[in-house]
Amino acid sequence: MTFRFDNSYARELEGFYVDWQAAPVPAPRLLRLNRGLAGELGLDADRLEAEGAAIFSGKRLPEGAHPLAQAYAGHQFGGFSPQLGDGRALLIGEVTDRSGRRRDLQLKGSGRTPFSRGADGKATLGPVLREYLVGEAMHGLGIPTTRALAAVATGEPVLRQAGELPGAILTRVAASHIRVGTFQFFAARSDMERVRRLADYAIARHYPALAEAPEPYLAFYEAVADAQADLVARWMLVGFIHGVMNTDNMAISGETIDYGPCAFMEGFDPGTVFSSIDLQGRYAYGNQPFILAWNLARLGEALLPLFDADAGRAAEKANAVLGTVGARYQARWLEGMRAKLGLAGAEEGDLSLAEDLLAAMQGARADWTLTFRRLADAVTEDAALRPVLQGPDTLQSWLSRWRRRLGPEAARRIRAVNPIYIARNHRVEEALAAAHAGDLGPFDRLIGALSDPFTERAGLEDLAQPAPAGFNEGYRTFCGT
Ligand SMILES: Nc1ncnc2c1ncn2[C@@H]1O[C@H](COP(=O)(O)OP(=O)(O)OP(=O)(O)O)[C@@H](O)[C@H]1O
Ligand SMILES: [Mg+2]
């Protein structure tokens, strides 16, 4: 099996990683291969079905692979950890996909590394399949994301709080694994030479046009701010809660990374938190835009000396960019919200039109996904929203305000951007429970639905329905570490 590796990180960034090998596992078994993604990467899916267990467990890496653990740091729940790094992951190499994009291949759960800090370096079946599933759901929604290429069962029991769990390894594909925390690692050591080298590398890899900008590093900062603002706006528009927006989980590429305790919100409440460790609600749904800016401020600090030799001027420049983050986010969000509402063009009152609907939704704890989806019917039917949004008398007047703003073919356009299927928590749990019992049928069926979330299909009605009453109130997600 040939992978045409071209490992630029290993080649150009010596000192930013540790060469390392995957730990041996007793009985690797390929659980799922993402055949579509394999094709995108120019890989032979049939051969991978046969050889994937060995390759994606790290047992027999293909020729040209250069397995390494990347160094990074990060602010976790606001506190700085100067040394995190790939404690259970290995970058095995980079390939160029069919459309010419460089993509990282990484094993997650491949054993201890020098960055493991006392933990076991392993991953377990549930979180591996969860990351696979939610990543595919995000991809189906058109949201930039890292994706799973394969899931392998290791045949090794892994000890967690809940007891012994089946071990697994995820193979992840990403535009890169450079995180805000990768810059912080070197900035925290006052190694500005390496911060500069990493910035040069990231510019060349992700934003090559900026190399010619008058102030390339500032332009890079601005580009990352823009990509991450766009990403978080897209999360908000589909009701996605990342759950652990630490700076080591924010990718410079603007892709979603680390599907640990993430979840989709059902009933609309900005305070929604599912993560078992997010006790203060720092990463609650409605806080995500603020955390976006907070994390970008940390990136700005790490890059500061690159902006200007004079510390005062450097801070001014960083602040000028940081000051635009709120507006960038808001513009992306409003643009997306106009599309969700099926509006024609842009008008002054659009924000309040959206906010009035959101207020009614919040009051009724209306299902985020179904309410927007039903708007397609509400274009012509007064009663269409009633099942999802009982209540406010003002709704009738809202509907008439809204209808005056609709463009042609509004119902079709609304359905094209508002999914009918999302990765609902109870369905995800159901699929994972079945997988633990050896049945990947529900997992496959759910992925099938989520790969085309905008097209309603007969036979999938159950997947469109909210969880039974009370399910989400008591629902908790875990990092699975
Ligand atoms: N079982 C484990 N063994 C060793 N290190 C771990 C383990 N679980 C997490 N870590 C490390 O703890 C830090 C924070 O973990 P976090 O849950 O954000 O990342 P992750 O889910 O392991 O990986 P990624 O961000 O690459 O998706 C990282 O440095 C990670 O490598
Ligand atoms: Mg992480």
Side-chain angles (χ1 to χ4, degrees), residues 148-171:
L149 177 61
V152 166
T154 59
E156 178 180 56
V158 172
L159 194 62
R160 291 288 179 267
Q161 225 168 4
E164 278 195 347
L165 298 172
I169 297 174
L170 181 83
T171 302

Side-chain angles (χ1 to χ4, degrees), residues 3 36 127 170 178 180 201 228 295 313 384 408 421 444 450 470 475 477:
F3 288 64
L170 181 83
I178 306 171
V180 169
Y201 176 87
Q228 293 189 351
N295 287 340
R313 271 203 307 271
Y421 310 114
D444 291 338
L450 297 172
Y475 184 63
T477 54

Side-chain angles (χ1 to χ4, degrees), residues 343-368:
L343 306 188
E347 281 181 21
E348 195 65 24
D350 293 348
L351 179 59
S352 70
L353 189 67
E355 283 174 345
D356 291 349
L357 176 65
L358 294 183
M361 286 171 64
Q362 189 179 342
R365 293 284 186 275
D367 186 85
W368 180 269

Side-chain angles (χ1 to χ4, degrees), residues 308-320:
D308 204 295
D310 177 85
R313 271 203 307 271
E316 265 172 41
K317 289 178 181 178
N319 281 329

Side-chain angles (χ1 to χ4, degrees), residues 349-422:
D350 293 348
L351 179 59
S352 70
L353 189 67
E355 283 174 345
D356 291 349
L357 176 65
L358 294 183
M361 286 171 64
Q362 189 179 342
R365 293 284 186 275
D367 186 85
W368 180 269
T369 305
L370 283 188
T371 306
F372 283 104
R373 183 74 183 189
R374 287 268 167 91
L375 285 175
D377 304 311
V379 170
T380 49
E381 294 164 42
D382 281 351
L385 289 183
R386 222 163 273 153
V388 283
L389 188 53
Q390 290 119 353
D393 309 333
T394 52
L395 205 60
Q396 207 49 50
S397 66
W398 185 86
L399 282 174
S400 31
R401 261 167 81 205
W402 169 63
R403 284 182 183 141
R404 281 197 296 275
R405 285 285 294 109
L406 291 177
E409 288 195 74
R412 189 191 55 75
R413 285 185 297 111
I414 289 169
R415 287 194 190 97
V417 297
N418 291 295
I420 174 92
Y421 310 114
I422 56 157

